[in-house]
Amino acid sequence: MTEDNIVHFNPWRDFNDAASLEELFLEPDPAQIAAFFDVVFDYCDGLIPVRSFIDKGQGIEGKPHNIWIDADASAPEKLTTFAHWAGREGAAVYVIPGTVAKSGQAKSADITAMQAIVVDIDTGDIGAKLTHLTRHLGDPTLIVESGGRTREGAHKLHVWWKLSEPATDTDVEQVCALRGAIAAKVAGDTHFRSAHQPIRVPGTIYHKGGSQRMVQILQHAAKREVDLADFAEMVSAMPPMPAIGAAATSSPGKPALADVLTTPVHEGGADAWSRFEGASAAIGHYIRQVHDGRISPDEGWEAICQYNAAMLRPSWPLDRLKAESDRLWRLHVERNGPPLLRSAETARRADMPAFTFGALLDDASPMPADIVAPRLLTPGGLLVLGGAPKVGKSDFLICLLAHMAAGVAFLGFSPPRPLRIFYLQAEIQYHYLRERLQAIRLDPAVIAAARDNLVVTPKLRLLLDERGVALAVDAIKFHFPDGPPDIICIDPIRNVFDGGPDGGGENDNSAMMFFLQQRVEQLRDAVAPDAGVILAHHTKKLNKKQVVEDPFQALSGASALRGFYTSGIIMYRPDEDMPARRLEIELRNGPAIGPMLVDKRGGQWVEIDASSERLIRKDVGARLDAERVRKHDVILGILLDEAAAGRLYTSLQFAEKFENKGGLGGTYTIRDRISVLATKGYIKFVRDGSPYGMARTTSKFGYLCTEGMIIPGNGETAHPDTGEISPTMVEVLPSHFKCPQSGGSLPVENPRVWVYPEDEQ
């Protein structure tokens, strides 16, 4: 062997991800600590809360240590000394990025001053998020690599902007609200909505997972400072990242307007939202009313002052309230154009119809005719049809509209005459729309009568914003030049939803009310104020029990929708294995209509008599009974086979493993059948699986057990004829059973005697 072929082993060599020698002996960096202090505390007075605790994953334990140091020129040196001690102990060093008045204080209400705004970017595409922030908020003062890594291996960052002066009093709340808003728009860490949220100090050591890394400054623009009011406007104007969407801004920290106007909010972050967030929402609400001409400027300012006095505890100073109102007014005018200002006198003279109790009792004039009887859709009313995707909602809606356009009753719902209908649908493209319409088997007389009365749009790629409403108005007037339509239908809400200038989503009550009042009603008022409106909407994923108990709770989005409509229909399958759909109907302008069971047969929707369903559909009932028996046998058979192979299961684990296997259906279906079998005594339970080699389980009942179940034991036996060696089989005996009366777990008296309820013997 030549010298060239000899490989010398160096024990200090860097293999794979082993730490380098430089990483093994990291020391705190006083220069970075001083730079951090300059950005976060230089203008503040008071005490800095400092905390250290052992980073996870090192295999060592220790108690947290808290100290408070003066925010003066000596702070960087004191913090460096503390960081040296913490580094030797394997502890991380954190500070609350604000000052307090007394030692021992560290709650949100204790923070008296803050001078920097931070966002913690700890997931996803870190580089793209930093670029988005820089583009809309300007270059940050400080960028810190926190020491952590994302799943993709990118460095997690803390991004800081230094304020030109410290935020105190109510401005601290605004700083925290801005930290939360920024985080929501880039999917950062929203915990920084709280003033007392601690953060790592650059120049100290990160120890998580046993790997030492420096928490280090990547960029420091020492002269970069921002004004709080200007920065707030930039944050408000910054859109959420495209990959995150508007839903990200609908965070728990954004209160609903109805709650804001009626709920007191205290300082110190003691409530669901801060005083700043509540005041901003209330001021914005009254500014929109003034801008639209619904109230005068004086009335708007009076309403803002009344909110401040009644709901903010303690109230804001009037100069602070006026400054925030002026800032939001300027921003609103920039976004929405010149206001339509109404004088106080004009507002007082506004026409508001009102009638005495006696006049209403004496009015015997005939009621207006229903657009769709009985009271399903009344003049100026709103009907919401909700259903899960693929439940047949659009098909049902098309058939309903075709019959109404033909003047023919449909499932008991009848129009007074052939109706003119504009169907604005935003899901199905033109060619697939015509294919679906041609496939619907309607009576030829219905088709002939509805040909010109029902106008349908192909899939639209627009929002019902101001431009979208104008386009819809023009299209409706073009197709119905001789008279306004009787019904305007929008399908679905989600594809055309416009939450207004605040960009709220369907889950935001304020955004939903804006869409209903400023978009849907504006569209109706522009073409036919007495027309009925039908909105198709999706439902949430709820279990069948929840849907049965309160069907209309299943509607997706904000609760404001349910409070706004005059009638609603929820369509769902009571049994996922059967084609029948159930219609739950809610009316605000008429007597209740009972639920309906409908099915599509021969291409047409028909009503099924739910009270005598079994008499009419004996074959279906028999198939259902046979299917239950089949699932009974399959479940017991699988349990026996799996036990013979050495495997026992809890109810949940069995359902998850054998989901959609053997025709058993989904997880919840399997668990329901197991529960029934346990009640009937076909399945019992083994609480302690250790004698059978099973791990301890936290299940309420334990492992499933059936009669005659055996499992391989520790011994071995030889076949008398072939000599084949096989494990000794051990009988699995139950320890508990499910009480058929209470559903509780009771001990088995004799595990070798399998007792069934009398009605199951």
Side-chain angles (χ1 to χ4, degrees):
M1 181 177 294
T2 66
E3 181 68 21
D4 294 338
N5 293 329
I6 298 176
V7 177
H8 295 279
F9 174 72
N10 181 355
W12 296 104
R13 201 166 183 175
D14 183 14
F15 288 99
N16 298 328
D17 59 350
S20 66
L21 286 177
E22 290 76 14
E23 292 176 322
L24 295 175
F25 303 102
L26 293 176
E27 293 287 343
D29 186 341
Q32 294 195 55
I33 293 175
F36 175 75
F37 174 86
D38 176 74
V39 173
V40 182
F41 299 108
D42 189 40
Y43 298 150
C44 294
D45 294 323
L47 298 174
I48 303 170
V50 183
R51 188 183 186 196
S52 74
F53 52 83
I54 302 298
D55 267 330
K56 296 178 181 179
Q58 301 181 79
I60 58 176
E61 297 182 359
K63 296 181 179 180
H65 287 78
N66 302 313
I67 65 170
W68 282 258
I69 61 177
D70 292 313
D72 55 22
S74 66
E77 182 180 356
K78 293 176 182 177
L79 198 54
T80 301
T81 302
F82 184 78
H84 275 283
W85 170 84
R88 292 193 298 270
E89 297 295 320
V93 179
Y94 289 79
V95 297
I96 293 176
T99 54
V100 298
K102 297 179 181 179
S103 180
Q105 295 180 337
K107 299 193 294 288
S108 289
D110 299 329
I111 307 302
T112 59
M114 305 182 88
Q115 72 171 49
I117 296 174
V118 63
V119 59
D120 180 3
I121 313 176
D122 55 3
T123 59
D125 190 339
I126 303 295
K129 293 181 179 182
L130 180 60
T131 300
H132 186 81
L133 290 171
T134 304
R135 180 184 302 121
H136 294 282
L137 303 181
D139 292 330
T141 310
L142 197 68
I143 302 177
V144 177
E145 184 181 291
S146 67
R149 302 287 190 269
T150 66
R151 292 182 179 180
E152 297 80 15
H155 296 266
K156 297 180 181 180
L157 300 180
H158 298 158
V159 185
W160 296 85
W161 288 267
K162 183 179 180 180
L163 298 176
S164 56
E165 59 182 358
T168 58
D169 300 325
T170 56
D171 286 338
V172 171
E173 299 178 42
Q174 183 176 10
V175 167
C176 296
L178 292 175
R179 298 196 313 189
I182 298 170
K185 292 184 177 184
V186 297
D189 187 349
T190 56
H191 287 92
F192 285 91
R193 290 183 185 278
S194 301
H196 68 295
Q197 178 67 23
I199 194 166
R200 289 181 185 269
V201 177
T204 63
I205 313 303
Y206 174 100
H207 301 274
K208 266 189 182 179
S211 298
Q212 288 191 4
R213 303 189 189 103
M214 178 70 72
V215 182
Q216 58 183 346
I217 296 174
L218 300 182
Q219 177 180 314
H220 180 204
K223 296 182 179 181
R224 168 66 170 157
E225 296 182 357
V226 296
D227 177 76
L228 179 59
D230 294 341
F231 194 74
E233 293 187 7
M234 289 190 289
V235 172
S236 179
M238 181 177 73
M241 289 188 66
I244 298 168
T249 62
S250 300
S251 60
K254 183 175 182 180
L257 179 61
D259 296 332
V260 165
L261 298 179
T262 58
T263 306
V265 56
H266 303 76
E267 67 178 346
D271 303 293
W273 56 86
S274 67
R275 289 188 303 164
F276 174 79
E277 290 169 317
S280 296
I283 293 170
H285 167 67
Y286 293 119
I287 280 176
R288 286 190 292 272
Q289 289 191 316
V290 172
H291 187 273
D292 295 342
R294 285 176 281 178
I295 60 177
S296 69
D298 291 341
E299 290 170 329
W301 173 244
E302 182 180 358
I304 291 171
C305 292
Q306 289 175 346
Y307 170 83
N308 179 50
M311 296 301 163
L312 298 189
R313 311 286 176 79
S315 301
W316 275 8
L318 287 182
D319 56 345
R320 173 78 174 88
L321 193 69
K322 187 67 167 62
E324 183 65 14
S325 300
D326 291 342
R327 183 185 73 82
L328 292 178
W329 173 260
R330 290 194 303 270
L331 193 62
H332 190 77
V333 171
E334 288 175 5
R335 291 180 176 178
N336 299 280
L340 177 62
L341 296 180
R342 168 180 284 190
S343 68
E345 184 64 26
T346 303
R348 285 192 292 270
R349 294 200 307 266
D351 184 20
M352 180 180 293
F355 306 94
T356 65
F357 180 59
L360 293 173
L361 291 176
D362 296 339
D363 187 355
S365 60
M367 295 294 293
D370 296 339
I371 297 176
V372 179
R375 300 290 177 90
L376 186 70
L377 188 61
T378 54
L382 174 65
L383 166 64
V384 174
L385 172 61
K390 310 302 181 186
V391 76
K393 181 171 67 271
S394 294
D395 190 282
F396 178 87
L397 185 56
I398 290 172
C399 290
L400 171 66
L401 297 179
H403 282 80
M404 298 302 104
V408 178
F410 176 72
L411 296 178
F413 305 125
S414 56
R417 53 176 172 76
L419 303 178
R420 297 180 296 275
I421 302 171
F422 187 84
Y423 181 21
L424 190 156
Q425 73 87 28
E427 277 193 322
I428 310 171
Q429 296 170 327
Y430 171 79
H431 295 291
Y432 305 101
L433 174 64
R434 66 182 177 88
E435 181 183 50
R436 173 175 289 193
L437 295 178
Q438 292 168 7
I440 294 177
R441 298 182 185 178
L442 296 176
D443 187 287
V446 172
I447 295 176
R451 291 186 67 92
D452 298 325
N453 285 338
L454 176 57
V455 177
V456 188
T457 68
K459 180 176 182 178
L460 299 176
R461 299 183 182 275
L462 60 81
L463 293 179
L464 269 186
D465 51 14
E466 291 184 358
R467 174 179 174 274
V469 169
L471 291 174
V473 169
D474 291 343
I476 293 172
K477 290 182 176 179
F478 174 80
H479 287 283
F480 297 103
D482 300 329
D486 300 291
I487 296 177
I488 301 170
C489 181
I490 300 173
D491 179 16
I493 291 177
R494 180 172 300 170
N495 290 14
V496 298
F497 185 82
D498 173 36
D502 293 336
E506 295 174 59
N507 295 319
D508 187 328
N509 277 305
S510 299
M512 179 60 75
M513 289 300 294
F514 178 90
F515 175 74
L516 295 173
Q517 293 177 337
Q518 302 299 321
R519 298 302 182 234
V520 175
E521 287 196 333
Q522 183 182 19
L523 172 61
R524 174 173 57 191
D525 292 345
V527 293
D530 291 331
V533 175
I534 299 177
L535 301 179
H537 196 34
H538 295 304
T539 54
K540 297 178 286 191
K541 292 183 179 179
L542 300 178
N543 60 48
K544 288 294 186 291
K545 182 179 179 181
Q546 291 174 304
V547 174
V548 170
E549 290 177 350
D550 190 353
F552 294 90
Q553 192 67 27
L555 285 172
S556 293
S559 59
L561 176 62
R562 187 176 183 184
F564 195 85
Y565 64 64
T566 56
S567 54
I569 298 176
I570 295 293
M571 172 185 279
Y572 67 96
R573 295 180 189 269
D575 187 342
E576 294 296 337
D577 296 330
M578 302 303 299
R581 284 82 157 178
R582 186 178 178 90
L583 302 181
E584 299 283 353
I585 305 170
E586 182 177 56
L587 301 183
R588 183 162 288 121
N589 291 339
I593 299 177
M596 301 171 59
L597 197 65
V598 299
D599 195 4
K600 195 169 186 183
R601 296 179 178 177
Q604 295 188 1
W605 290 93
V606 296
E607 183 177 3
I608 300 171
D609 187 356
S611 62
S612 57
E613 182 184 355
R614 193 61 177 266
L615 297 176
I616 296 174
R617 307 175 69 191
K618 288 184 178 180
D619 56 333
V620 174
R623 288 200 300 271
L624 290 175
D625 290 341
E627 176 63 8
R628 294 188 186 99
V629 173
R630 186 194 69 81
K631 289 182 178 179
H632 168 145
D633 294 336
V634 170
I635 290 173
L636 297 184
I638 291 176
L639 286 173
L640 289 171
D641 292 342
E642 289 293 302
R647 295 182 288 270
L648 299 181
Y649 298 91
T650 64
S651 175
L652 174 61
Q653 294 307 115
F654 181 88
E656 290 182 348
K657 180 169 182 180
F658 296 98
E659 180 184 30
N660 293 328
K661 293 184 180 179
L664 293 179
T667 300
Y668 290 105
T669 301
I670 297 174
R671 293 187 70 181
D672 287 344
R673 298 315 308 163
I674 289 175
S675 180
V676 171
L677 291 173
T679 299
K680 293 182 177 181
Y682 291 102
I683 289 178
K684 297 183 181 179
F685 303 90
V686 178
R687 184 68 61 81
D688 183 10
S690 58
Y692 310 106
M694 296 292 111
R696 179 181 177 84
T697 176
T698 58
S699 171
K700 174 183 175 183
F701 288 97
Y703 293 103
L704 304 178
C705 177
T706 65
E707 186 177 16
M709 178 179 281
I710 57 175
I711 193 169
N714 295 327
E716 295 180 341
T717 58
H719 193 279
D721 297 328
T722 63
E724 181 180 358
I725 302 298
S726 58
T728 302
M729 303 306 289
V730 178
E731 186 177 6
V732 180
L733 299 177
S735 61
H736 291 75
F737 71 99
K738 183 179 180 181
C739 177
Q741 283 78 38
S742 66
S745 177
L746 299 178
V748 173
E749 293 184 6
N750 188 343
R752 296 189 179 278
V753 177
W754 204 272
V755 180
Y756 298 94
E758 291 183 1
D759 55 349
E760 289 295 324
Q761 290 180 356

